[in-house]
Short mmCIF file of all heavy atoms in Angstrom, two decimals:
data_model
loop_
_atom_site.label_atom_id
_atom_site.label_comp_id
_atom_site.label_asym_id
_atom_site.label_seq_id
_atom_site.Cartn_x
_atom_site.Cartn_y
_atom_site.Cartn_z
N THR L 282 0.84 -1.19 0.00
CA THR L 282 0.00 0.00 0.00
C THR L 282 0.87 1.24 0.00
O THR L 282 1.74 1.40 0.86
CB THR L 282 -0.92 0.02 1.24
OG1 THR L 282 -1.68 -1.19 1.28
CG2 THR L 282 -1.87 1.20 1.17
N VAL L 283 0.64 2.11 -0.99
CA VAL L 283 1.40 3.35 -1.11
C VAL L 283 0.44 4.50 -0.87
O VAL L 283 -0.42 4.78 -1.72
CB VAL L 283 2.05 3.48 -2.51
CG1 VAL L 283 2.90 4.74 -2.57
CG2 VAL L 283 2.88 2.25 -2.83
N ASP L 284 0.54 5.13 0.30
CA ASP L 284 -0.30 6.28 0.61
C ASP L 284 -1.78 5.97 0.36
O ASP L 284 -2.47 6.71 -0.35
CB ASP L 284 0.15 7.48 -0.22
CG ASP L 284 -0.06 8.79 0.52
OD1 ASP L 284 -0.25 8.75 1.75
OD2 ASP L 284 -0.02 9.85 -0.13
N CYS L 285 -2.24 4.85 0.90
CA CYS L 285 -3.64 4.41 0.83
C CYS L 285 -4.02 3.71 -0.48
O CYS L 285 -5.14 3.20 -0.62
CB CYS L 285 -4.63 5.56 1.06
SG CYS L 285 -4.42 6.35 2.67
N PHE L 286 -3.11 3.65 -1.46
CA PHE L 286 -3.40 2.98 -2.72
C PHE L 286 -2.68 1.63 -2.77
O PHE L 286 -1.45 1.58 -2.69
CB PHE L 286 -2.97 3.83 -3.92
CG PHE L 286 -3.67 5.15 -4.01
CD1 PHE L 286 -3.00 6.33 -3.71
CD2 PHE L 286 -5.00 5.22 -4.40
CE1 PHE L 286 -3.63 7.55 -3.80
CE2 PHE L 286 -5.65 6.44 -4.49
CZ PHE L 286 -4.97 7.61 -4.18
N GLU L 287 -3.45 0.56 -2.93
CA GLU L 287 -2.84 -0.77 -3.07
C GLU L 287 -2.28 -0.87 -4.49
O GLU L 287 -2.96 -0.54 -5.46
CB GLU L 287 -3.90 -1.85 -2.83
CG GLU L 287 -3.37 -3.11 -2.15
CD GLU L 287 -2.52 -3.98 -3.10
OE1 GLU L 287 -2.77 -3.91 -4.32
OE2 GLU L 287 -1.66 -4.72 -2.62
N ILE L 288 -1.03 -1.30 -4.60
CA ILE L 288 -0.30 -1.19 -5.86
C ILE L 288 -0.93 -2.00 -6.99
O ILE L 288 -0.89 -1.59 -8.15
CB ILE L 288 1.19 -1.59 -5.68
CG1 ILE L 288 2.03 -1.17 -6.89
CG2 ILE L 288 1.33 -3.07 -5.38
CD1 ILE L 288 2.27 0.27 -7.03
N LEU L 289 -1.55 -3.14 -6.71
CA LEU L 289 -2.17 -3.93 -7.77
C LEU L 289 -3.61 -3.53 -8.03
O LEU L 289 -4.11 -3.63 -9.15
CB LEU L 289 -2.10 -5.42 -7.42
CG LEU L 289 -0.69 -6.03 -7.35
CD1 LEU L 289 -0.77 -7.55 -7.15
CD2 LEU L 289 0.13 -5.72 -8.60
N ASP L 290 -4.31 -3.04 -6.98
CA ASP L 290 -5.70 -2.61 -7.15
C ASP L 290 -5.80 -1.22 -7.79
O ASP L 290 -6.72 -0.95 -8.56
CB ASP L 290 -6.42 -2.60 -5.79
CG ASP L 290 -6.60 -4.00 -5.22
OD1 ASP L 290 -6.51 -4.97 -6.00
OD2 ASP L 290 -6.80 -4.11 -3.99
N ASN L 291 -4.86 -0.33 -7.44
CA ASN L 291 -4.87 1.03 -7.97
C ASN L 291 -3.47 1.39 -8.51
O ASN L 291 -2.80 2.29 -7.99
CB ASN L 291 -5.27 2.03 -6.88
CG ASN L 291 -6.67 1.81 -6.37
OD1 ASN L 291 -7.64 2.17 -7.02
ND2 ASN L 291 -6.76 1.20 -5.19
N PRO L 292 -3.03 0.68 -9.54
CA PRO L 292 -1.65 0.86 -10.00
C PRO L 292 -1.33 2.26 -10.50
O PRO L 292 -0.24 2.78 -10.26
CB PRO L 292 -1.51 -0.18 -11.12
CG PRO L 292 -2.92 -0.46 -11.57
CD PRO L 292 -3.75 -0.32 -10.35
N THR L 293 -2.25 2.90 -11.19
CA THR L 293 -1.99 4.23 -11.75
C THR L 293 -1.74 5.25 -10.65
O THR L 293 -0.76 6.01 -10.68
CB THR L 293 -3.15 4.69 -12.64
OG1 THR L 293 -3.35 3.73 -13.69
CG2 THR L 293 -2.85 6.06 -13.24
N GLU L 294 -2.63 5.26 -9.64
CA GLU L 294 -2.49 6.23 -8.55
C GLU L 294 -1.27 5.93 -7.70
O GLU L 294 -0.54 6.85 -7.29
CB GLU L 294 -3.76 6.23 -7.68
CG GLU L 294 -5.01 6.72 -8.38
CD GLU L 294 -4.84 8.12 -8.94
OE1 GLU L 294 -4.25 8.97 -8.25
OE2 GLU L 294 -5.27 8.37 -10.08
N ALA L 295 -1.03 4.65 -7.43
CA ALA L 295 0.11 4.28 -6.58
C ALA L 295 1.44 4.59 -7.27
O ALA L 295 2.37 5.11 -6.64
CB ALA L 295 0.03 2.79 -6.23
N LYS L 296 1.52 4.31 -8.56
CA LYS L 296 2.80 4.50 -9.27
C LYS L 296 3.15 5.97 -9.47
O LYS L 296 4.32 6.30 -9.66
CB LYS L 296 2.75 3.78 -10.62
CG LYS L 296 2.78 2.25 -10.49
CD LYS L 296 2.70 1.57 -11.84
CE LYS L 296 2.68 0.07 -11.70
NZ LYS L 296 2.59 -0.63 -13.00
N LYS L 297 2.15 6.85 -9.41
CA LYS L 297 2.43 8.28 -9.48
C LYS L 297 3.27 8.74 -8.29
O LYS L 297 3.95 9.76 -8.36
CB LYS L 297 1.12 9.08 -9.51
CG LYS L 297 0.37 9.02 -10.83
CD LYS L 297 -0.90 9.84 -10.74
CE LYS L 297 -1.70 9.77 -12.04
NZ LYS L 297 -2.96 10.55 -11.94
N LEU L 298 3.20 7.98 -7.22
CA LEU L 298 3.89 8.35 -5.98
C LEU L 298 5.28 7.74 -5.88
O LEU L 298 5.98 7.96 -4.88
CB LEU L 298 3.05 7.92 -4.78
CG LEU L 298 1.63 8.49 -4.71
CD1 LEU L 298 0.84 7.83 -3.58
CD2 LEU L 298 1.68 9.99 -4.51
N ILE L 299 5.67 6.95 -6.90
CA ILE L 299 6.94 6.22 -6.84
C ILE L 299 7.84 6.58 -8.01
O ILE L 299 7.40 6.60 -9.16
CB ILE L 299 6.69 4.70 -6.86
CG1 ILE L 299 5.87 4.27 -5.64
CG2 ILE L 299 8.01 3.92 -6.89
CD1 ILE L 299 5.45 2.80 -5.68
N GLY L 300 9.09 6.87 -7.70
CA GLY L 300 10.12 7.01 -8.72
C GLY L 300 11.09 5.86 -8.55
O GLY L 300 11.51 5.56 -7.42
N TYR L 301 11.46 5.21 -9.65
CA TYR L 301 12.23 3.96 -9.54
C TYR L 301 13.46 3.99 -10.45
O TYR L 301 13.37 4.31 -11.63
CB TYR L 301 11.32 2.79 -9.94
CG TYR L 301 11.96 1.42 -9.85
CD1 TYR L 301 12.82 1.07 -8.82
CD2 TYR L 301 11.67 0.47 -10.83
CE1 TYR L 301 13.38 -0.18 -8.75
CE2 TYR L 301 12.23 -0.81 -10.77
CZ TYR L 301 13.08 -1.13 -9.72
OH TYR L 301 13.65 -2.38 -9.66
N LEU L 302 14.60 3.66 -9.86
CA LEU L 302 15.82 3.46 -10.62
C LEU L 302 16.22 1.99 -10.49
O LEU L 302 16.74 1.58 -9.44
CB LEU L 302 16.96 4.34 -10.10
CG LEU L 302 18.34 4.07 -10.73
CD1 LEU L 302 18.33 4.43 -12.21
CD2 LEU L 302 19.44 4.80 -9.99
N PRO L 303 15.99 1.17 -11.53
CA PRO L 303 16.43 -0.23 -11.47
C PRO L 303 17.95 -0.32 -11.53
O PRO L 303 18.64 0.68 -11.78
CB PRO L 303 15.77 -0.86 -12.69
CG PRO L 303 15.51 0.27 -13.61
CD PRO L 303 15.29 1.49 -12.78
N GLU L 304 18.46 -1.52 -11.30
CA GLU L 304 19.91 -1.71 -11.29
C GLU L 304 20.54 -1.28 -12.61
O GLU L 304 21.63 -0.72 -12.64
CB GLU L 304 20.25 -3.17 -10.98
CG GLU L 304 21.72 -3.43 -10.80
CD GLU L 304 22.01 -4.84 -10.33
OE1 GLU L 304 21.07 -5.55 -9.94
OE2 GLU L 304 23.19 -5.23 -10.37
N GLN L 305 19.85 -1.55 -13.72
CA GLN L 305 20.29 -1.08 -15.03
C GLN L 305 19.41 0.10 -15.42
O GLN L 305 18.25 -0.08 -15.75
CB GLN L 305 20.18 -2.20 -16.07
CG GLN L 305 21.06 -3.40 -15.80
CD GLN L 305 22.53 -3.05 -15.88
OE1 GLN L 305 22.94 -2.20 -16.66
NE2 GLN L 305 23.35 -3.72 -15.07
N PRO L 306 19.92 1.34 -15.37
CA PRO L 306 19.09 2.51 -15.66
C PRO L 306 18.44 2.41 -17.04
O PRO L 306 19.09 2.04 -18.02
CB PRO L 306 20.10 3.68 -15.63
CG PRO L 306 21.21 3.19 -14.75
CD PRO L 306 21.31 1.71 -15.01
N PRO L 307 17.13 2.72 -17.13
CA PRO L 307 16.40 2.60 -18.40
C PRO L 307 16.66 3.79 -19.32
O PRO L 307 15.78 4.63 -19.55
CB PRO L 307 14.94 2.55 -17.93
CG PRO L 307 14.94 3.40 -16.69
CD PRO L 307 16.27 3.18 -16.02
N LEU L 308 17.86 3.86 -19.85
CA LEU L 308 18.25 5.02 -20.66
C LEU L 308 18.21 4.70 -22.15
O LEU L 308 18.36 3.54 -22.55
CB LEU L 308 19.67 5.46 -20.27
CG LEU L 308 19.91 5.74 -18.78
CD1 LEU L 308 21.35 6.16 -18.56
CD2 LEU L 308 18.95 6.81 -18.26
N TYR L 309 18.04 5.75 -22.96
CA TYR L 309 18.08 5.64 -24.42
C TYR L 309 19.35 6.33 -24.91
O TYR L 309 19.42 7.57 -24.93
CB TYR L 309 16.84 6.27 -25.04
CG TYR L 309 15.58 5.47 -24.79
CD1 TYR L 309 14.83 5.68 -23.62
CD2 TYR L 309 15.16 4.49 -25.68
CE1 TYR L 309 13.68 4.95 -23.37
CE2 TYR L 309 14.01 3.75 -25.44
CZ TYR L 309 13.28 3.97 -24.28
OH TYR L 309 12.16 3.23 -24.04
N PRO L 310 20.36 5.56 -25.29
CA PRO L 310 21.68 6.14 -25.59
C PRO L 310 21.70 7.13 -26.74
O PRO L 310 22.58 8.00 -26.80
CB PRO L 310 22.54 4.91 -25.89
CG PRO L 310 21.59 3.81 -26.22
CD PRO L 310 20.37 4.08 -25.41
N GLU L 311 20.75 7.04 -27.68
CA GLU L 311 20.76 7.96 -28.83
C GLU L 311 20.09 9.29 -28.54
O GLU L 311 20.10 10.19 -29.38
CB GLU L 311 20.07 7.29 -30.03
CG GLU L 311 20.72 5.99 -30.48
CD GLU L 311 22.20 6.17 -30.84
OE1 GLU L 311 22.54 7.24 -31.37
OE2 GLU L 311 22.99 5.25 -30.57
N MET L 312 19.49 9.42 -27.36
CA MET L 312 18.87 10.68 -26.96
C MET L 312 19.87 11.54 -26.20
O MET L 312 20.79 11.03 -25.57
CB MET L 312 17.66 10.43 -26.05
CG MET L 312 16.44 9.85 -26.72
SD MET L 312 15.09 9.72 -25.51
CE MET L 312 13.75 9.18 -26.56
N THR L 313 19.66 12.85 -26.24
CA THR L 313 20.39 13.72 -25.32
C THR L 313 19.71 13.61 -23.96
O THR L 313 18.57 13.12 -23.85
CB THR L 313 20.36 15.19 -25.77
OG1 THR L 313 19.01 15.69 -25.71
CG2 THR L 313 20.91 15.34 -27.18
N VAL L 314 20.39 14.08 -22.94
CA VAL L 314 19.81 14.04 -21.59
C VAL L 314 18.49 14.80 -21.54
O VAL L 314 17.50 14.32 -20.99
CB VAL L 314 20.81 14.62 -20.57
CG1 VAL L 314 20.16 14.77 -19.20
CG2 VAL L 314 22.06 13.76 -20.48
#
């Protein structure tokens, strides 16, 4: 539960509250920063 939103029941609202950096950053090498 993220701030009253269960992550599987309310994924859109819950994920708005989370920023995630996985072990391999999801970067696009051909883009500028």
Side-chain angles (χ1 to χ4, degrees):
T282 305
V283 184
D284 212 17
C285 301
F286 298 107
E287 214 286 333
I288 194 72
L289 295 186
D290 293 340
N291 297 283
T293 302
E294 295 303 318
K296 289 178 182 180
K297 286 180 181 178
L298 302 172
I299 298 173
Y301 181 40
L302 172 66
E304 186 173 349
Q305 297 295 327
L308 306 180
Y309 290 87
E311 300 303 325
M312 288 184 175
T313 66
V314 172

